[in-house]
């Protein structure tokens, strides 16, 4: 199940190193590129909200079978794509498939957690997504640079992986029995309970910065590496994404035992610092400095994912969790896509260099705002504790 989880996320990042090739072949602008990227998020978010709890009612296997079937169709569309419209359709369908698969895979991994290793499922479901993003982008970059048929081979291999995933799902035991309420579960539920607002609001800027940065790397990162840093190897496009997502996955694994509250401030500081270092490297044309900044930002990315989603898990009561986590996903995926589209429009209007500077500075301002909010929250908690003791 973990391997299938990684495979789905690898498929979602595989197109990133190819965007530069598509743009050169089909002559579309940067904002069109980011719209294609964002369409994936639209499909994912829609399906996540609608069918997020469907496997609790129909069982894990039928829902996973549906997700794999949708992903296979999307991969066929990628394989035959000859224009931006087919590419867009493939991205939307891939987003829907990933949105169907993610909650069912997470739930199946929790179902299969061995009694002697409580907590392992939580680590796996946290580490698997950024690991998949890193492997998909890096593997795609390698195949594009060194393999034949650069816009097709990666999708053929991923299709083969999905065939194996279908076999795994067919052979796995059902871990969740059917129960009524499947139709009612399709109604999206998003909520910010009033008593949780004080805890959620300080977390939101960190979420915005984290996922906006990820959106920039996944959509415009390879273009920045090629045009501003002069790194024209398609492998570099995959490395750019891998440095951020792979470092994030490593940070999640290493920090898995730390409390969410202890990670909020340092994650914001690392994210902002890494973004500024990467920006300095980009402006000066120093690839090594941009790489260092990306690694620092990647550490902040992983710590922030743990801190923000860990906060939601800690504060939400059992009967609120579904709606509260839906809110967390809405925030994450919206800020993953909308700023990327705005960045693409800015690239078209102002040029890649100026747009990259503005984007990075905006993310830095948001991250340091999150840091200030968190520090103020800590001071307020300490003052409250002192007042209580008196």
């Amino acid at each position: 199940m973990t391997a299938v989880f990684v495979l789905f996320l690898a498929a979602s990042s595989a197109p990133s190193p190819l965007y530069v090739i598509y743009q050169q072949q089909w002559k579309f602008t940067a904002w069109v590129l980011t719209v294609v990227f964002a369409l994936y998020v639209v499909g994912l978010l829609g399906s996540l909200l609608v069918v997020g709890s469907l496997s609790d009612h129909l069982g894990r296997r039928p829902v996973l079978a549906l997700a794999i079937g949708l992903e296979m169709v999307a991969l066929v569309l990628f394989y035959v794509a000859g224009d931006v419209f087919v590419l867009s359709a493939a991205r939307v369908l891939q987003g829907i498939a990933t949105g169907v698969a993610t909650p069912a895979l997470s739930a199946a991994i929790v179902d299969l957690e061995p009694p002697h290793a409580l907590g392992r499922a939580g680590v796996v479901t946290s580490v698997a997504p950024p690991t998949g993003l890193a492997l998909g982008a890096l593997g795609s970059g390698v195949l594009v640079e060194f393999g034949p048929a650069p816009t097709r081979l990666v999708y053929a291999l991923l299709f083969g992986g999905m065939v194996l995933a279908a076999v795994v799902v067919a052979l796995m035991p059902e871990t969740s029995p059917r129960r009524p309420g499947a139709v009612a579960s399709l109604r999206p539920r998003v909520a910010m309970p009033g008593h949780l607002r004080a805890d959620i609001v300080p977390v939101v800027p960190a979420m915005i910065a984290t996922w906006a940065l990820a959106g920039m790397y996944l959509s415009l990162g390879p273009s920045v590496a090629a045009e501003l840093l002069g790194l024209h190897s398609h492998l570099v496009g995959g490395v750019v994404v891998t440095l951020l997502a792979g470092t994030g996955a490593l940070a999640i694994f290493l920090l898995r035992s730390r409390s969410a509250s202890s990670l909020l401030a340092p994650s914001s500081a690392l994210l902002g610092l890494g973004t500024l270092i990467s920006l300095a490297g980009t402006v000066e044309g120093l690839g090594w400095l941009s790489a260092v900044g990306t690694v620092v930002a990647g550490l902040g990315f992983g710590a922030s994912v743990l801190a923000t989603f860990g906060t939601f898990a800690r504060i939400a009561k059992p009967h609120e969790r579904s709606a509260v986590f839906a809110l967390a996903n809405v925030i994450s995926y919206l800020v993953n896509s909308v700023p990327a589209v705005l960045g693409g429009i800015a690239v078209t209007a102002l040029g890649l260099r100026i747009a990259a500077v503005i984007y990075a500075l905006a993310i830095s301002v948001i991250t340091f705002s999150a840091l200030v909010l968190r520090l103020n929250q800590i001071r307020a908690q300490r003052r409250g504790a002192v007042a209580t003791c008196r």
Side-chain angles (χ1 to χ4, degrees):
M1 286 299 96
T2 302
V4 174
F5 202 166
V6 170
L7 179 64
F8 264 95
L9 272 297
S12 74
S13 65
S16 288
L18 291 164
Y19 286 145
V20 175
I21 297 177
Y22 291 136
Q23 196 173 12
Q24 292 171 348
Q25 289 182 349
W26 302 335
K27 308 298 181 185
F28 56 82
T29 59
W31 75 266
V32 174
L33 185 156
T34 52
V35 167
V36 171
F37 165 78
L39 287 173
Y40 164 81
V41 177
V42 171
L44 188 150
L45 186 58
S47 63
L48 194 63
L49 290 174
V50 174
V51 302
S53 60
L54 188 61
S55 71
D56 290 337
H57 302 274
L58 298 183
R60 313 297 184 215
R61 293 175 64 200
V63 174
L64 288 176
L66 171 63
I68 291 169
L70 292 172
E71 182 70 36
M72 292 172 78
V73 175
L75 291 170
V76 170
L77 289 177
F78 277 120
Y79 187 89
V80 302
D83 55 51
V84 73
F85 298 106
V86 178
L87 180 65
S88 298
R91 282 298 277 173
V92 171
L93 190 57
Q94 186 179 55
I96 293 171
T98 308
V100 174
T102 299
L105 285 165
S106 299
I109 289 170
V110 173
D111 295 340
L112 295 167
E113 183 178 57
H116 64 274
L118 296 178
R120 182 182 295 174
V123 175
V124 168
T125 54
S126 297
V127 173
T131 299
L133 291 175
L135 291 177
L138 183 62
S140 178
V142 169
L143 291 174
V144 170
E145 185 65 23
F146 301 110
T151 60
R152 293 186 174 183
L153 178 59
V154 63
Y155 301 122
L157 293 176
L158 286 168
F159 187 92
M162 285 296 163
V163 171
L164 292 177
V167 174
V168 169
V169 170
L171 296 176
M172 72 174 281
E174 180 56 72
T175 60
S176 179
R178 286 177 175 263
R179 61 187 180 92
V183 175
S185 74
L186 301 179
R187 180 173 60 88
R189 292 182 298 165
V190 179
M192 183 191 290
H195 64 282
L196 301 182
R197 191 168 290 117
D199 291 296
I200 290 177
V201 170
V203 171
V204 171
M207 296 182 73
I208 292 173
T210 300
W211 293 103
L213 183 66
M216 182 180 76
Y217 270 81
L218 285 165
S219 59
L220 295 175
S223 297
V224 170
E227 295 184 33
L228 300 186
L229 297 176
L231 303 172
H232 296 289
S233 168
H234 297 297
L235 176 58
V236 173
V239 171
V240 166
V241 176
T242 302
L243 283 177
L244 183 77
T247 305
L250 180 62
I252 290 172
F253 179 76
L254 294 176
L255 299 172
R256 62 191 184 280
S257 61
R258 297 287 298 274
S259 67
S261 58
S262 70
L263 292 174
L264 277 172
S267 67
S268 297
L270 286 170
L271 202 64
L273 179 62
T275 301
L276 289 177
I277 294 173
S278 185
L279 174 62
T282 301
V283 171
E284 296 297 326
L286 300 174
W288 67 268
L289 187 59
S290 290
V292 170
T294 300
V295 170
V296 174
L299 293 173
F301 172 73
S304 181
V305 170
L306 267 180
T308 52
F309 280 88
T311 297
F312 279 89
R314 175 178 58 83
I315 64 178
K317 297 176 181 177
H319 67 279
E320 301 170 331
R321 284 176 187 157
S322 177
V324 168
F325 271 101
L327 172 66
N329 282 304
V330 168
I331 295 171
S332 298
Y333 288 114
L334 282 179
V335 300
N336 186 244
S337 57
V338 174
V341 174
L342 295 177
I345 294 172
V347 170
T348 304
L350 305 173
L352 184 58
R353 181 179 296 274
I354 295 175
V357 170
I358 293 173
Y359 201 125
L361 289 177
I363 289 174
S364 299
V365 169
I366 296 170
T367 55
F368 290 123
S369 298
L371 177 60
V372 171
L373 281 172
R374 177 56 185 161
L375 293 176
N376 288 337
Q377 188 182 38
I378 292 173
R379 290 193 196 98
Q381 290 171 347
R382 287 175 178 171
R383 286 195 297 267
V386 170
T388 302
C389 291
R390 290 177 179 173

